[in-house]
Amino acid sequence: MIGDRWSLLIVRELSLRDCRYTDLRDGLPGIASNLLAERIRRLTNDGLVERHEPDAAEVSVVYRLTARGRELLPALHAIVLWASPMMVSGPAPDDRQRGRWTAFAAEAFLDRPAAGREPLRLQVDDEHEPVVIDITPDEVTASLGSTDDADVHISGSTWHQLGLLSGELTFADASRLLDIRGTRSDVQRLRHILEMRRTSTTSDHE
Amino acid sequence: MIGDRWSLLIVRELSLRDCRYTDLRDGLPGIASNLLAERIRRLTNDGLVERHEPDAAEVSVVYRLTARGRELLPALHAIVLWASPMMVSGPAPDDRQRGRWTAFAAEAFLDRPAAGREPLRLQVDDEHEPVVIDITPDEVTASLGSTDDADVHISGSTWHQLGLLSGELTFADASRLLDIRGTRSDVQRLRHILEMRRTSTTSDHE
DNA sequence: CCGCATCCGGGGCGATACTG
DNA sequence: CAGTATCGCCCCGGATGCGG
């Protein structure tokens, strides 16, 4: 059900937001449209994806993950955690990175344990695709776009943003490479959250 | 590196034991030999697998996971946990199940949290491929073969064994479907361990 | 036997074009 | 926007061969 090409990537796209057909097409550079159609059909038949017909307020068909499809997220997160060292340290010349993928890696890295008392909202300023990351004690959610009321703003290279939010860079290193703005206490809270995750996931290989 | 066909399955095979070329071929029904050779080459070049030349005591080339390759196990475990409901409840007519795959699912299900004070050794009697599962406070390891000093013997249908050790069946249900033998206290300990994992992973959907 | 390399259909895949 | 249709190609699967 999920072993063939593109299927898990479609799930990844749908994990961040419900998508129209063209959203998926844009989010999966290189996919052929016949393959996208067939993969959606398969995933729908297998009960991982729902097709949502447009009602009065809506304009277009929307695909969304079912509960069963969402159960794949821990597996995707584990894969992303495994891959993030390579994404950060050795991006090939023609590798691309998108803000939404940074968001997904951040969800993977921050998801599991508790994350602090008060909610924290990050604005990750990617040139092409800014994302907002909300960290609450219960969960971490990312969404595309910009907000006015972020606690911390992170701008700079997409790769360094990924390094920070995936735990590959120490906060100290990342703050030299990125521009991290916010009140002293909010930045400290972010640092604390990230360092908690780092010690619990990485085996301190440096 | 791991998205194409067979690669992750090769990692799965190597996670249980070091394998010769033909071991892998046997463990991956349906793989073509040219593909196996090419996948091994890729995985080796990418640093996930090591080729071990036969020394004096050895007879044959052996492949084994590198540390980096072993870091994929959490991802594989997450996939297995996601898949096990389908493996247990709806095995298709031509689905196969092997003892070693039961062992892998058991590792996935039991791996994470602490597992009790004293080590517990299970003998899973599969007709074709019996496995021994050692549960210690620190880790769960499975190996192929039989042992004399198991604490608990589990015999019966391979599917039911998988259901028990992957948490899909309650211990009560499984003990009706399987033959579970051991001292009263050892069986209770097994039951306790399995029920701990069940409550922490499943959302009690029954 | 073991560890591959080679050869050979067939089908999935990738790119483009097309349509309601 | 949401797909369908078509086409060439390469990758995959299955069989066989072959030196160590």
Side-chain angles (χ1 to χ4, degrees):
Chain A
M1 287 165 68
I2 57 171
D4 51 26
R5 206 143 158 171
W6 299 114
S7 292
L8 275 182
L9 298 176
I10 292 173
V11 174
R12 180 198 64 191
E13 288 301 307
L14 292 175
S15 76
L16 288 173
R17 70 200 197 289
D18 297 346
C19 288
R20 298 179 294 187
Y21 186 89
T22 45
D23 293 332
L24 289 171
R25 201 174 192 340
D26 296 342
L28 302 168
I31 194 172
S33 92
N34 56 347
L35 291 187
L36 177 56
E38 191 231 341
R39 293 299 192 267
I40 292 175
R41 211 176 304 137
R42 267 188 65 98
L43 290 170
T44 305
N45 285 336
D46 289 341
L48 309 188
V49 169
E50 277 175 349
R51 179 193 169 98
H52 229 251
E53 299 290 339
D55 55 9
E58 299 283 343
V59 187
S60 183
V61 178
V62 165
Y63 297 99
R64 93 178 24 153
L65 289 181
T66 64
R68 177 67 178 154
R70 213 165 288 110
E71 290 175 9
L72 271 171
L73 292 185
L76 279 170
H77 286 166
I79 294 172
V80 168
L81 288 180
W82 179 82
S84 52
M86 296 180 296
M87 297 200 291
V88 173
S89 73
D94 55 348
D95 277 0
R96 315 226 163 226
Q97 176 64 4
R98 296 197 177 189
R100 72 179 74 164
W101 299 342
T102 301
F104 189 72
E107 284 187 351
F109 179 57
L110 297 173
D111 199 15
R112 287 328 188 81
R117 302 303 174 189
E118 298 295 317
L120 186 65
R121 169 167 281 192
L122 312 180
Q123 173 73 57
V124 182
D125 287 321
D126 181 86
E127 182 183 354
H128 302 293
E129 205 170 47
V131 298
V132 178
I133 299 177
D134 281 301
I135 305 174
T136 74
D138 294 333
E139 60 176 1
V140 173
T141 58
S143 53
L144 302 181
S146 296
T147 179
D148 286 344
D149 62 346
D151 302 310
V152 179
H153 287 254
I154 302 171
S155 51
S157 148
T158 306
W159 299 104
H160 295 150
Q161 290 169 345
L162 176 65
L164 174 68
L165 295 173
S166 70
E168 287 308 309
L169 295 175
T170 64
F171 189 90
D173 286 342
S175 39
R176 263 177 251 118
L177 298 163
L178 293 166
D179 183 23
I180 303 175
R181 293 191 184 173
T183 67
R184 187 180 203 80
S185 100
D186 284 338
V187 173
Q188 281 303 321
R189 283 167 58 208
L190 174 61
R191 173 182 196 139
H192 185 65
I193 290 170
L194 292 171
E195 286 177 349
M196 292 282 292
R197 297 303 163 289
R198 264 178 64 82
T199 56
S200 70
T201 55
T202 70
S203 39
D204 232 295
H205 40 61
E206 37 195 4
Chain B
M1 284 164 67
I2 58 171
D4 50 26
R5 205 143 156 171
W6 299 114
S7 292
L8 275 182
L9 298 175
I10 292 173
V11 173
R12 179 198 63 189
E13 288 301 307
L14 292 175
S15 76
L16 287 173
R17 69 201 197 288
D18 298 344
C19 288
R20 299 178 295 187
Y21 186 90
T22 46
D23 293 331
L24 289 172
R25 200 172 194 340
D26 297 342
L28 302 168
I31 194 173
S33 84
N34 56 347
L35 292 186
L36 178 55
E38 193 231 341
R39 294 296 191 269
I40 292 175
R41 211 176 303 136
R42 268 188 63 99
L43 290 170
T44 305
N45 285 336
D46 289 342
L48 309 187
V49 168
E50 277 175 349
R51 178 193 170 98
H52 228 250
E53 299 290 338
D55 55 8
E58 300 284 342
V59 187
S60 184
V61 178
V62 164
Y63 298 98
R64 93 177 28 152
L65 288 181
T66 64
R68 177 67 177 155
R70 212 165 290 110
E71 289 175 8
L72 271 171
L73 293 184
L76 279 170
H77 287 167
I79 295 171
V80 168
L81 289 180
W82 179 82
S84 52
M86 295 180 296
M87 297 200 291
V88 173
S89 72
D94 55 348
D95 277 0
R96 314 232 162 222
Q97 176 64 3
R98 297 197 176 189
R100 71 181 74 165
W101 300 341
T102 301
F104 190 73
E107 286 187 351
F109 178 58
L110 297 172
D111 201 15
R112 286 329 188 78
R117 303 303 175 188
E118 297 295 316
L120 187 65
R121 167 166 282 190
L122 312 180
Q123 173 72 57
V124 182
D125 286 321
D126 181 87
E127 183 182 352
H128 303 293
E129 205 171 47
V131 297
V132 179
I133 298 177
D134 282 300
I135 305 174
T136 73
D138 294 332
E139 57 175 3
V140 174
T141 57
S143 52
L144 302 181
S146 296
T147 179
D148 287 345
D149 62 347
D151 302 311
V152 179
H153 288 254
I154 302 170
S155 49
S157 148
T158 306
W159 299 105
H160 296 151
Q161 291 169 346
L162 176 64
L164 175 67
L165 295 173
S166 69
E168 287 308 309
L169 296 175
T170 64
F171 190 89
D173 287 342
S175 40
R176 264 177 252 119
L177 298 163
L178 293 166
D179 183 23
I180 302 175
R181 294 194 184 171
T183 69
R184 188 179 203 83
S185 101
D186 284 337
V187 172
Q188 282 303 320
R189 284 168 58 209
L190 174 61
R191 172 181 196 141
H192 185 66
I193 290 170
L194 292 172
E195 287 177 348
M196 291 282 292
R197 296 305 163 289
R198 265 179 63 84
T199 56
S200 68
T201 56
T202 70
S203 40
D204 231 294
H205 41 61
E206 37 195 0

